[in-house]
Amino acid sequence: MSGSVLLESSWWIPSYGLAGAALATPWATGWVKRRGPRPAAYINISLTLVALAHGALVLQQVWGHAPYIVDYPWFQVADLDLSLSLEISPITMGAVVWISGLSLLAQIYALGYLDKDWGLGRFSALMGFFEGALTGIAISDSLFLSYALLEMLTLSTYLLVGFWYAQPLVVTAARDAFLTKRVGDLLLLMGVVAVSNFSGALTFSDLRDWAATASLEPTWAALMGLALMAGPLGKCAQFPLHLWLDEAMEGPNPASIMRNSVVVACGAFVLIKLQPLLALSPITDGFLVTIGTVTAIGGSLVALAQIDIKRTFSYSTSAYLGLVFVAVGMQQPDLALELLLMHGMAKALLFTGVGSIIYTTATQNLTELGGLRSRMPATVTAFAVGSLGMVALLPLGCFWTMARLALVYSVLQPALVGVLLLVNGLTALNLMRVFGLVFQGSIQPKTRRAPEVGWLMALPMGILAVQTLLMPWLLWHWQLYPGWIPKLKLMAALLVLSGAVGAGVGGWLYWGGKRMLHLPWPEVQDLLAYDFYTGRLYQALVVQPVSALSRGLEWLDRNWVDGLVNGVSLAFLFSGETLKYTLSGRMQLYVLLILIGVVVVVTWLMRSPGLGLA
């Protein structure tokens, strides 16, 4: 395949996932049952492998070259031009390869995790739909197309979270995830319309050029920026739209691998593309930094009190995406993108280990786990590598990214260096806590017979572990890391110290002889376990007032609006029933009545002052 054909056919890559979803429909809907659901999984794995190969070939073609824009006209009327524009560049194709590769590993992992689940065919179809939306967002250069793909992502999240729809808690989690994201999506749509009106363009490349010379009024720039950031705010589970990610952990773990690594990253990827527009208003940048700081610190604290292993890592995901929001607000999109990559790879590895634990023990409750270190060596190794990749530990990836962020913040906003140190220390503490409760200590009843997982689940863990260890070396090889400078060494030392303090406190509390399952202060434990009572505040400040307003409007509609309509209809009904008895059926009488009516009307008109005939 020639280079030009490769570039022009890049739009095929998202289509592979959508084609896999369509081809898996007979198994997903239960039309085909005789051979079980596995053929649907094999179809989607094969097409994902094709997408990975195609993306790798295009990445090789564009490596070291300027971005290549491919436009496909879709809808044009008057001055409205909705073209589906794609950006083919090393960054976008690198994201495509990353998404396709992770989707491939997650689907192989699902073959083992959902081996006895007859919903495997439906899961495979949904993963194909998921992958198509994700890869489309990665290469989209159109704000309109990105919005449409984010809506697909919301729908696929709803369906995957509600995969086991027979359980009431799962149905509630899927509904809450969908409705929470809709809040951000609605505001994002308003922002898209505003941007189109102000700039006359909807492609990211044109919007960057427009933003370089735009002169909007501060109020309009702030409102537009806040609306544009609302969509990524919900997708990335940032305060106050963060509770959905915690509830989304009710879905199958292979979907959680994708959700906590690339799904939230795609929302942040759109935010990074919008950064030139957001920078038009200092209010928007300040809002990004504030929201990101609150979510980063709050999520790290709340994670310490969770007893569900998946939920503790979901709050960690929100915390790290908060650091990404801070980086975008400080106009550091390159470092934000790098942090997305490093966090996503480590978090995907951690969730493969979490899935292995749940699969073999049939529980995700930390209070029921323990003593797995000697029984699950592959899972222990994957969990340890993922944990080390999450914190700023030399020479792993998050270390270099966070050290460079700290260096930038030390010049622009020194207080943010403290945020990085605090989040890094709390993350290390939480990882040591989980590791101690799961792998250390005495064997519990549910871990007594826990074996290591099979190769279908162990293979993705091994591949992700190797990638997590090699990625920093690759970035050094590609000369993307700067050399050592004195102040960078200082920031690196502070980060390593904060991680060491957090790990030391975690080891002292959770690796000792006494098994501490909760924080020593009950009030603090409840405050953090219930996410600072955010759910109750939602009920008191949003749900109950809206419910009361809805009931009031329903009463008004039933008793006044419907009553008025019913009253008018009854009046006509009774008047018609009354008038029918005045009719004789004689034509002469009808003509006489019409003539009398005409005479009365003409006389009244002639006597009207407005006609001057009186």
Side-chain angles (χ1 to χ4, degrees), residues 40-60:
Y42 297 149
I43 290 171
N44 276 275
I45 288 174
S46 300
L47 287 172
T48 301
L49 187 60
V50 173
L52 177 61
H54 192 166
L57 290 173
V58 177
L59 176 61
Q60 184 181 13

Side-chain angles (χ1 to χ4, degrees), residues 237-270:
Q238 297 295 287
F239 178 84
L241 303 179
H242 63 293
L243 293 181
W244 74 266
L245 187 61
D246 168 44
E247 296 190 59
M249 295 303 102
E250 298 296 333
N253 194 73
S256 298
I257 295 173
M258 297 287 288
R259 188 177 299 112
N260 284 270
S261 55
V262 295
V263 174
V264 292
C266 277
F269 192 57
V270 173

Side-chain angles (χ1 to χ4, degrees), residues 539 541-553:
Q539 287 288 331
L541 300 179
V542 179
V543 176
Q544 291 180 2
V546 171
S547 179
L549 178 62
S550 300
R551 288 195 298 269
L553 293 175

Side-chain angles (χ1 to χ4, degrees), residues 522-546:
E523 296 79 8
V524 177
Q525 168 69 32
D526 290 341
L527 180 67
L528 298 183
Y530 291 104
D531 193 1
F532 297 99
Y533 301 108
T534 306
R536 298 182 185 180
L537 289 175
Y538 281 173
Q539 287 288 331
L541 300 179
V542 179
V543 176
Q544 291 180 2
V546 171

Side-chain angles (χ1 to χ4, degrees), residues 161-181:
V161 173
F163 180 74
W164 289 310
Y165 53 83
Q167 304 175 26
L169 186 60
V170 170
V171 175
T172 301
R175 180 201 63 196
D176 291 348
F178 182 79
L179 294 178
T180 303
K181 285 188 173 187

Side-chain angles (χ1 to χ4, degrees), residues 469-489:
L469 293 172
L470 287 182
M471 185 53 66
W473 177 83
L474 289 175
L475 294 181
W476 268 109
H477 179 69
W478 294 331
Q479 299 180 349
L480 297 178
Y481 283 155
W484 283 102
I485 58 176
K487 201 165 186 181
L488 181 61
K489 293 181 181 179

Side-chain angles (χ1 to χ4, degrees), residues 23-109:
L23 292 174
T25 300
W27 292 271
T29 56
W31 295 345
V32 178
K33 296 182 179 179
R34 292 187 59 185
R35 298 186 180 275
R38 278 194 168 240
Y42 297 149
I43 290 171
N44 276 275
I45 288 174
S46 300
L47 287 172
T48 301
L49 187 60
V50 173
L52 177 61
H54 192 166
L57 290 173
V58 177
L59 176 61
Q60 184 181 13
Q61 181 71 26
V62 300
W63 188 263
H65 293 81
Y68 179 77
I69 304 298
V70 183
D71 287 318
Y72 299 98
W74 179 59
F75 182 77
Q76 294 179 345
V77 59
D79 60 345
L80 180 62
D81 182 8
L82 298 180
S83 296
L84 306 183
S85 181
L86 306 180
E87 178 186 342
I88 313 302
S89 67
I91 292 178
T92 60
M93 294 315 301
V96 165
V97 170
W98 180 44
I99 293 169
S100 301
L102 198 54
S103 177
L104 178 64
L105 295 177
Q107 291 181 59
I108 295 173
Y109 188 89

